[in-house]
Amino acid sequence: AGDPSTSHDTRGAQLRDVAQMCEQKLRDWDGAIDAWKQICQLDRSDEQAREHLFKLLEKLKRWDELAPLIEQEVIAQDDDEK
């Protein structure tokens, strides 16, 4: 998983596959959330990953994890407007 020869894009694609498999086939919500979070950390501009993460956390009513993400989103939007 931590192979330094793996490119940034390849790592993101692998994580996306893991996230989708966990979410759709395995119903492994924790695994899916973890993978989506890692994708967001790799590429903060990945809107699709952020949307998946938000929807999953909302669906599972994991408000303690969702609140800081929403806060970050608001701060980022404020920074963009300045």
Side-chain angles (χ1 to χ4, degrees):
D3 184 354
S5 66
T6 304
S7 79
H8 193 272
D9 291 340
T10 303
R11 179 84 177 124
Q14 290 171 340
L15 283 167
R16 189 174 300 279
D17 289 344
V18 168
Q20 290 172 341
M21 185 180 297
C22 285
E23 191 173 341
Q24 297 167 3
K25 293 187 175 25
L26 303 176
R27 299 290 188 241
D28 174 7
W29 309 127
D30 290 331
I33 287 169
D34 187 49
W36 289 124
K37 283 181 179 178
Q38 288 184 53
I39 294 167
C40 289
Q41 288 173 347
L42 273 177
D43 182 1
R44 297 193 184 279
S45 65
D46 191 327
E47 293 287 328
Q48 186 182 29
R50 200 164 39 246
E51 281 180 30
H52 276 279
L53 181 57
F54 274 50
K55 285 179 185 176
L56 197 52
L57 290 171
E58 191 174 1
K59 175 182 177 178
L60 299 173
K61 297 178 173 39
R62 290 170 68 165
W63 311 123
D64 289 348
E65 292 178 67
L66 186 58
L69 297 175
I70 293 172
E71 191 174 310
Q72 289 172 4
E73 192 93 351
V74 169
I75 291 168
Q77 287 176 354
D78 284 350
D79 289 346
D80 288 346
E81 291 173 5
K82 290 180 182 175

